[in-house]
Amino acid sequence: MLFKVFVSAIGVCLAFNAVAVTGIGTSSTTPLETMSPSLQSVLAVTEKRLSATFSEAMLTPDSTTPGNYIVSGLGVGTLVPSPTSVSGGPAVFTLDWASGEMRDGVSLTLTVSGMQDAVGNPINSAANNASCAGRGAAPVFSDLMVMPPKAGLGERVAITFSVSETLQADPEVTINGHPATAPYGKAETYLYEYEVQEDDPLGMAVIHISSADLAGNVGTLNNTSALEILEESEDLPLWGWPFAAALLLVLGLMLLWRRRLGGARVWTEWTKWTGGHHRRGMFFLFVALTLACSWAFAQAPTVSKVTMTQSPNATSTQVDIYYDLDAPNGPCAITVSLSKDGGADGYSYPVTSVTGDLAEVTTGTGKHIVWDIRADYPEEDLPQARILIVADDGAVQHTLTYLAGPGGSIDGQFSLQQTVNHGADGVQVTAVPDEGYGFLQWSDGVLTAARTDTNVTADISVMASFIQLPPEVTSFNLDGGAGTTLDLLVTLDNTATNNPAEYIVSEASDFAGAAWQA
């Protein structure tokens, strides 16, 4: 029996020795897939931003490459086909455009290409696009003003207003359904004229303004409080139309000024200065223009007729810039800057790769600058480019201010304030005392009432002092050192011997040794 067991054990050992020796193990659960990813949806977040959602995590950097995203359709508005930047991930991405906007409520389509999911499966070409409604902002009309605010049959009124962005065309403006005209054309601030019609109903007129921005978003403004139609034109104040005519002139000059200096930046700074109160600002502008026309010591240089043309050269491309310069104070230094969106960005982009009429430029026409645009801004599409030229004549100006203290006034052609160039001369002013007063001196020590400041190298602000005279004194002159009297009684507190009948006196405490002269 024992033998049988032993033999059986040997048989078992021989059986196990007949197979190879191996080890085994198992991995954790790991997904494997060969399904192609798809673009599930797109959503307009703002007028310049889309959100794109994919069916799964996507591989970078292809999923963040702007050129792999293309938008199309009427809802695109003024967006360029590809976004400026793409961020986010791995399955949801944000697409941003630097400029432009969508058309609100109108469909657009996003198409993607050149992408893979996290394991390398290419985008499904049958599911690589999605659509949504665009999101845009309508233009806003504001600062509506009508001058005069009341008008009768046949009277003309001036209508001004501002708009928040560039429009496709001049706004449509109607008064009680009748069209108004735009004598100065398109700008960020508009000026229209309207003549009161025979069938205009009496009372407050209905003013309607509407237009679309470049993306097609339509904005409107309705007003029933800015203009009142009267039955008789005689009821209008006499100043109404002349003031409106003056306002037309001022606004026309302002529009030309804004076009020359570059659009929205000027209006923004003007708004800041007037605190947003344009009615008050218009008055101040009118006064300032009137004063500027009547008195100017130092005229600023003027740049006009600025043009630019892009053309190829031997190696790349160049922009030829031409301008005219009026430099009454001498040669100017010229700087050039760029706007990428028609002036709304304030010409914030520098232009540095330039040659030509840039330094010591004198008055003349046809000044020429050559700009190597690729050196400054390579690989860019600038459909709304504008350039700004600034001329600096280096002139330093100083302000001369003359004030009068109590008892007098200042007389002269430019009596209160003058502006002169550095090193130039002012014009004469005179301190004039009131009746019963005499001129004492200027606050800077000048003793003559009439003064002319010459070779001015700094601002001057001085005040004339006056002294009230006793009744017996008819005049006073500190420079002469004495006054003139009709009946002067003087009491001397002194000690003398031998009863003298005449004295020699002085204000000096150490006065001595004086003698009469024959």
Side-chain angles (χ1 to χ4, degrees), residues 129-429:
N129 61 75
S131 300
C132 69
R135 187 170 183 175
V140 177
F141 299 99
S142 60
D143 303 321
L144 174 66
M145 184 169 65
V146 180
M147 293 299 296
K150 298 182 180 182
L153 177 63
E155 296 288 337
R156 289 182 178 271
V157 296
I159 305 164
T160 63
F161 56 90
S162 300
V163 66
S164 60
E165 58 183 308
T166 304
L167 304 177
Q168 290 182 358
D170 288 348
E172 179 185 37
V173 179
T174 61
I175 311 296
N176 294 327
H178 303 138
T181 59
Y184 292 101
K186 187 175 182 180
E188 282 78 82
T189 299
Y190 287 86
L191 171 63
Y192 280 69
E193 290 180 344
Y194 178 70
E195 181 176 342
V196 177
Q197 304 296 307
E198 186 174 358
D199 58 345
D200 275 315
L202 301 181
M204 303 310 297
V206 178
I207 302 176
H208 176 78
I209 304 172
S210 66
S211 189
D213 62 16
L214 298 179
N217 300 306
V218 178
T220 61
L221 171 67
N222 291 289
N223 179 278
T224 58
S225 62
L227 173 62
E228 182 179 3
I229 305 299
L230 301 179
E231 182 175 7
E232 298 290 341
S233 60
E234 290 77 22
D235 293 337
L236 297 176
L238 295 178
W239 53 265
W241 179 241
F243 183 85
L247 181 62
L248 286 174
L249 173 60
V250 171
L251 290 176
L253 292 174
M254 184 180 69
L255 293 178
L256 292 176
W257 180 36
R258 294 183 65 253
R259 289 181 176 181
R260 178 169 293 175
L261 294 183
R265 178 172 61 88
V266 175
W267 181 252
T268 300
E269 294 303 317
W270 171 254
T271 302
K272 290 180 181 178
W273 186 77
T274 60
H277 301 292
H278 297 301
R279 293 175 186 265
R280 181 182 67 189
M282 292 300 180
F283 173 75
F284 285 139
L285 180 60
F286 179 78
V287 173
L289 286 174
T290 301
L291 292 177
C293 291
S294 62
W295 172 45
F297 269 95
Q299 181 182 351
T302 301
V303 178
S304 61
K305 297 182 180 179
V306 179
T307 63
M308 65 175 175
T309 305
Q310 187 173 5
S311 58
N313 60 25
T315 59
S316 181
T317 182
Q318 73 180 37
V319 175
D320 291 289
I321 302 171
Y322 291 92
Y323 67 96
D324 293 351
L325 176 66
D326 181 12
N329 295 321
C332 295
I334 304 297
T335 56
V336 185
S337 55
L338 168 70
S339 167
K340 295 185 177 182
D341 56 3
D345 55 19
Y347 299 89
S348 57
Y349 298 92
V351 173
T352 58
S353 301
V354 287
T355 58
D357 294 321
L358 297 164
E360 296 295 315
V361 184
T362 57
T363 295
T365 61
K367 305 297 182 180
H368 185 203
I369 296 174
V370 177
W371 177 23
D372 183 355
I373 187 173
R374 287 189 59 84
D376 286 343
Y377 299 99
E379 307 301 331
E380 290 199 39
D381 181 20
L382 306 174
Q384 298 186 70
R386 295 179 68 179
I387 56 114
L388 173 69
I389 293 179
V390 177
D392 183 359
D393 61 13
V396 177
Q397 296 178 316
H398 302 292
T399 301
L400 313 181
T401 305
Y402 303 98
L403 304 174
S409 60
I410 308 300
D411 183 36
Q413 184 180 5
F414 305 106
S415 57
L416 297 181
Q417 194 172 77
Q418 304 174 22
T419 302
V420 298
N421 286 341
H422 185 82
D425 300 341
V427 297
Q428 179 176 296
V429 295

Side-chain angles (χ1 to χ4, degrees), residues 171 241 466 474:
W241 179 241
F466 302 91
T474 59

Side-chain angles (χ1 to χ4, degrees), residues 117-141:
D117 64 12
V119 295
N121 294 309
I123 190 76
N124 185 348
S125 60
N128 68 339
N129 61 75
S131 300
C132 69
R135 187 170 183 175
V140 177
F141 299 99

